[in-house]
Amino acid sequence: MVKIADESTTELSKLPGVGLATAAKLQEAGYDNLMSIAVASVGELEEATGLGSAQVRKIINYAREKLQMGFQSGAELLERRSKVSKIPTGSKALDTLLGGGFETGSIVEAFGEFGSGKTQLGHVLAVMVQKIDPEAYAVFIDTENTFRPERIEQLAKGAGLDPKQVLSHIKVARAYNSDHQMLLAEKVEDLIKKDKLKVKLVVVDSLTAHFRAEFIGRGTLAERQQKLNRHMHTLLRLADVYNVCVYVTNQVMASPDVFFGDPTRAIGGHIVAHASTYRIYLRKGKKGARVAKLVDSPHLPEGEAGFYVKEHGLEDL
Ligand code: GTP
Ligand code: MG
């Protein structure tokens, strides 16, 4: 197929050593502006273009220089932070724990045992993100077939929103295996750029279930972590470049894992933990309550918040 060069192809073809053909390849793979190239990894771009690593490094460095990436002043960072919005949950306690709600531009990981409320929280966020911005879209990557439109209807009513409208702003995709899941995460960029949807939330529920099921035993651990790392990188880029809140769920391991030691540890180990900006540990509390504990956060104190999951949404104790 011959692609007719458009403006962004021309912009890309100014990259060192990139002609129109390579520019078209880059564009097809979703790297159609300097920012997407500046934050890409060498391996990713090699794969997308077929160029060698030295050449790819040059391209990335060029994009970074053009965008003057590198050190930013504190004032610039503050300006960037001002674009961050917070998605409220309906529970004041939980919002306060997170400094006002679930932050865009971040990855928030919820881990906890079955029934602790991870999936429910994903549904709540998909509705509440539209409460703060009626134009916002939520993307739900569903690996365990637990997305329920009926549940969204209940929550939308509870939030005083039109259920039909809310449902029309949620894009759901069922992921059948880890490769499919990774591909879907990469496709979110198309929704933003090609379809011009204002995606403000991406839910990956569950982040780790497929990986855990497919890579069993010690021999496959390295491969699993490598793929998970790539997946996290894609999600991190969505959060960073498009100011999206990425909410991922994670089970806790039932038995001690020799590689990571701690029996209460979430699956995915340090790779998921390090990529996440906020980590919440969810557990069942007394009388049907749920308790969220903030485990890791760049600037908030550790703490706990209790809430109920009710038909209309989350509620404080
Ligand atoms: P796993 O995916 O199995 O690891 O669990 P999870 O952490 O995703 O749990 P989930 O979010 O599915 O929580 C299930 C719990 O949420 C149930 O045990 C109920 O207490 C509550 N819940 C689920 N649906 C509803 C609902 O429609 N109304 C109310 N009030 N509570 C609900
Ligand atoms: Mg679940």
Side-chain angles (χ1 to χ4, degrees), residues 112-121 144 151 154 251 290 309-311:
E113 61 167 340
F114 68 94
S116 57
K118 304 181 293 292
T119 299
Q120 287 299 310
L121 199 48
E144 301 184 302
R151 185 68 183 121
Q154 289 178 339
Q251 284 103 342
R290 295 292 183 271
V309 179
K310 292 278 168 86
E311 176 166 330

Side-chain angles (χ1 to χ4, degrees), residues 266-282:
I267 302 194
H270 62 283
I271 283 179
V272 175
H274 284 172
S276 307
T277 325
Y278 298 94
R279 308 186 69 214
I280 5 185
Y281 176 53
L282 284 177

Side-chain angles (χ1 to χ4, degrees), residues 84-102:
V84 164
S85 37
K86 314 225 174 182
I87 308 169
T89 61
S91 156
K92 288 222 163 59
L94 183 54
D95 291 351
T96 306
L97 182 73
L98 292 168
F102 282 62

Side-chain angles (χ1 to χ4, degrees), residues 59-125:
I59 293 175
I60 293 175
N61 285 339
Y62 175 89
R64 287 181 182 171
E65 259 165 46
K66 271 273 172 195
L67 295 171
Q68 302 186 319
M69 284 168 84
F71 291 105
Q72 284 179 302
S73 73
E76 281 166 332
L77 278 176
L78 194 61
E79 154 78 19
R80 210 177 135 92
R81 292 281 305 158
S82 73
K83 298 210 172 73
V84 164
S85 37
K86 314 225 174 182
I87 308 169
T89 61
S91 156
K92 288 222 163 59
L94 183 54
D95 291 351
T96 306
L97 182 73
L98 292 168
F102 282 62
E103 248 180 48
T104 59
S106 302
I107 296 185
V108 187
E109 175 200 353
F111 63 101
E113 61 167 340
F114 68 94
S116 57
K118 304 181 293 292
T119 299
Q120 287 299 310
L121 199 48
H123 283 68
V124 167
L125 291 171

Side-chain angles (χ1 to χ4, degrees), residues 286-298:
K286 285 184 189 132
K287 292 181 185 153
R290 295 292 183 271
V291 182
K293 179 178 182 183
L294 188 64
V295 178
D296 267 336
S297 125

Side-chain angles (χ1 to χ4, degrees), residues 139-206:
V139 172
F140 209 107
I141 298 176
D142 184 4
T143 74
E144 301 184 302
N145 201 15
T146 47
F147 178 80
R148 292 288 174 274
E150 304 88 329
R151 185 68 183 121
I152 295 291
E153 283 184 325
Q154 289 178 339
L155 294 168
K157 278 186 206 147
L161 300 172
D162 173 17
K164 277 216 175 72
Q165 168 74 12
V166 168
L167 278 171
S168 74
H169 277 232
I170 301 178
K171 299 281 179 192
V172 186
R174 179 83 202 278
Y176 293 99
N177 54 49
S178 64
D179 283 316
H180 190 203
Q181 178 182 335
M182 290 166 77
L183 183 72
L184 288 170
E186 284 162 26
K187 289 281 176 203
V188 174
E189 216 166 343
D190 286 351
L191 293 178
I192 299 172
K193 288 197 308 206
K194 288 196 187 133
D195 303 344
K196 309 279 181 228
L197 301 187
K198 195 173 176 186
V199 176
K200 285 281 112 196
L201 173 76
V202 173
V203 175
V204 186
D205 182 25
S206 138

